Amino acid sequence: MNETEERPEFVTDEHLEYLDELRESGVTNMYGAGAYVEREFELSPDESRKVVTYWMHTFSERHAV
């Protein structure tokens, strides 16, 4: 995505770090990560989808070398 990706108010650094760790673990394909976020943080399916979508859209920017 680009720098104009707006972060939803409820998305925290903890959510993003959790997803980074989940990705590294290889436990799930990241397209299935919403269910993990939903359970871990007690979010609604819609909220967890938005967290994962934001994480995916901003991954490259947050991990730029």
Side-chain angles (χ1 to χ4, degrees):
M1 192 69 25
N2 59 39
E3 294 176 12
T4 62
E5 177 73 21
E6 192 167 328
R7 183 176 182 156
E9 283 185 28
F10 60 87
V11 175
T12 66
D13 288 343
E14 185 179 4
H15 294 138
L16 303 177
E17 291 165 8
Y18 174 80
L19 286 166
D20 287 342
E21 291 172 9
L22 185 62
R23 177 182 177 268
E24 286 295 316
S25 76
V27 168
T28 185
N29 175 306
M30 293 312 288
Y31 289 105
Y36 288 83
V37 172
E38 188 178 335
R39 281 191 302 267
E40 181 70 20
F41 296 101
E42 299 180 358
L43 297 174
S44 71
D46 185 56
E47 289 170 326
S48 63
R49 180 184 51 78
K50 288 177 182 176
V51 170
V52 174
T53 299
Y54 178 80
W55 177 85
M56 286 180 174
H57 287 172
T58 61
F59 183 85
S60 299
E61 293 171 22
R62 289 179 294 101
H63 295 281
V65 178

